[in-house]
Amino acid sequence: MELVHAIQNHCNCPIEATLNVIGGKWKPMILCLLANDTLRYNRIQQLIPEVSPKMLTKQLRELEGDGLISRKMYPEIPPKVEYSITDLGRTVLPVLKTLLEWGAEYLGKKCIATIQVNADN
Amino acid sequence: MELVHAIQNHCNCPIEATLNVIGGKWKPMILCLLANDTLRYNRIQQLIPEVSPKMLTKQLRELEGDGLISRKMYPEIPPKVEYSITDLGRTVLPVLKTLLEWGAEYLGKKCIATIQVNADN
DNA sequence: CGGTATCCCTCCGGATACTG
DNA sequence: CAGTATCCGGAGGGATACCG
């Protein structure tokens, strides 16, 4: 019931705010990738072949702007840029897990049953 | 974390699936409203003044198509249509709560007290 | 290597008017 | 009452080429 008011008041509804932060098409994927490793731009692109450079840059910038990931640039030639998850970004992982579990259970999406380090491309 | 492989495998990523279902602009709001009451079309529109009829209809149809809400039509003149949440829809309320709590805590969005989720868990 | 710039097209979504 | 119909601007997002 309070939930209703939270939204009705419409004072920056936290649900919408959260969705704005993690709802981007590639953001959950990026966050999960960075949860384990610090990765360079091209490496991310390899791991997500479907994303175009423009979109990848956009999603990374937004995640950085929201403080979920950090971008470290090494002034070298050739350039080197490393993306990693921040402490704030780590706090969102349980939220993603919730989304994953609901989707898996109620939408019948599998592919999470035996997820050890066995899966490979 | 296991999340990575779930997403890397990319076989209908459950996170994306969940976001597709609840990520619509007005869907969390509609679900929360219907969590407490069965409501008629115009009543929903009153409670969410910002939504246009076109968008409201679209979001309702999508929620219905995904099985989260049900639409009951009374063949009367004037017409009467009631929307209510389904059992499946109720299972998503804890997910919304997770989103709300994260947004409230880490994005500093207030305006919440407690959420009543009628499903036990 | 790590991006921009540009083109282009689709779809989102608001506003308004209308209808069975 | 519960929606459609229509118009329209703008954002989303793919493809390709180019740059520091």
Side-chain angles (χ1 to χ4, degrees):
Chain A
M1 200 166 316
E2 319 293 342
L3 190 44
V4 178
H5 285 87
I7 295 179
Q8 265 182 335
N9 288 347
H10 194 256
C11 50
N12 279 329
C13 165
I15 298 181
E16 261 183 64
T18 303
L19 287 175
N20 284 337
V21 168
I22 64 169
K25 188 169 184 186
W26 309 102
K27 289 181 184 179
M29 204 174 310
I30 293 169
L31 285 170
C32 291
L33 291 174
L34 295 182
N36 301 306
D37 297 299
T38 292
L39 295 173
R40 299 175 65 174
Y41 185 91
N42 272 5
R43 182 68 185 134
I44 300 176
Q45 216 173 13
Q46 290 167 16
L47 293 170
I48 316 176
E50 305 92 334
V51 70
S52 68
K54 187 180 70 170
M55 270 303 105
L56 179 55
T57 298
K58 188 179 172 231
Q59 304 277 297
L60 288 170
R61 291 284 189 274
E62 291 179 4
L63 286 170
E64 187 193 1
D66 289 325
L68 301 192
I69 68 174
S70 71
R71 178 178 183 273
K72 184 170 184 183
M73 210 183 118
Y74 297 86
E76 304 172 356
I77 303 286
K80 176 179 172 183
V81 176
E82 283 182 347
Y83 292 93
S84 54
I85 197 167
T86 63
D87 288 342
L88 179 60
R90 291 200 181 280
T91 68
V92 89
L93 294 177
V95 178
L96 295 179
K97 192 181 174 196
T98 300
L99 296 173
L100 188 150
E101 288 172 345
W102 190 84
E105 173 149 9
Y106 293 104
L107 301 178
K109 304 297 180 186
K110 300 296 159 43
C111 80
I112 55 161
T114 57
I115 316 162
Q116 305 294 343
V117 193
N118 56 7
D120 41 330
N121 11 348
Chain B
M1 190 180 279
E2 312 117 26
L3 278 177
V4 180
H5 299 293
I7 295 182
Q8 265 182 335
N9 287 348
H10 194 257
C11 50
N12 274 332
C13 166
I15 297 181
E16 259 185 66
T18 303
L19 288 175
N20 285 338
V21 168
I22 65 168
K25 186 170 185 185
W26 309 101
K27 289 180 184 178
M29 205 175 307
I30 293 169
L31 287 170
C32 291
L33 291 174
L34 295 182
N36 302 304
D37 298 297
T38 292
L39 295 173
R40 299 176 65 175
Y41 184 90
N42 271 6
R43 182 69 185 132
I44 300 176
Q45 217 174 11
Q46 290 167 17
L47 294 169
I48 316 177
E50 305 92 333
V51 72
S52 69
K54 187 180 74 173
M55 269 304 105
L56 179 55
T57 299
K58 189 181 170 229
Q59 303 277 299
L60 287 170
R61 292 283 190 277
E62 291 179 5
L63 286 170
E64 187 193 2
D66 289 325
L68 300 193
I69 68 174
S70 71
R71 179 177 182 275
K72 184 171 185 185
M73 208 182 121
Y74 298 86
E76 304 173 351
I77 301 289
K80 176 179 172 183
V81 177
E82 284 182 346
Y83 292 93
S84 54
I85 198 167
T86 62
D87 289 342
L88 178 60
R90 290 201 182 279
T91 67
V92 89
L93 294 178
V95 178
L96 294 179
K97 190 183 173 190
T98 300
L99 295 174
L100 188 150
E101 288 173 344
W102 189 85
E105 173 150 7
Y106 294 104
L107 300 178
K109 304 298 181 185
K110 301 296 160 50
C111 83
I112 54 151
T114 51
I115 309 169
Q116 277 199 342
V117 176
N118 296 346
D120 324 334
N121 39 358

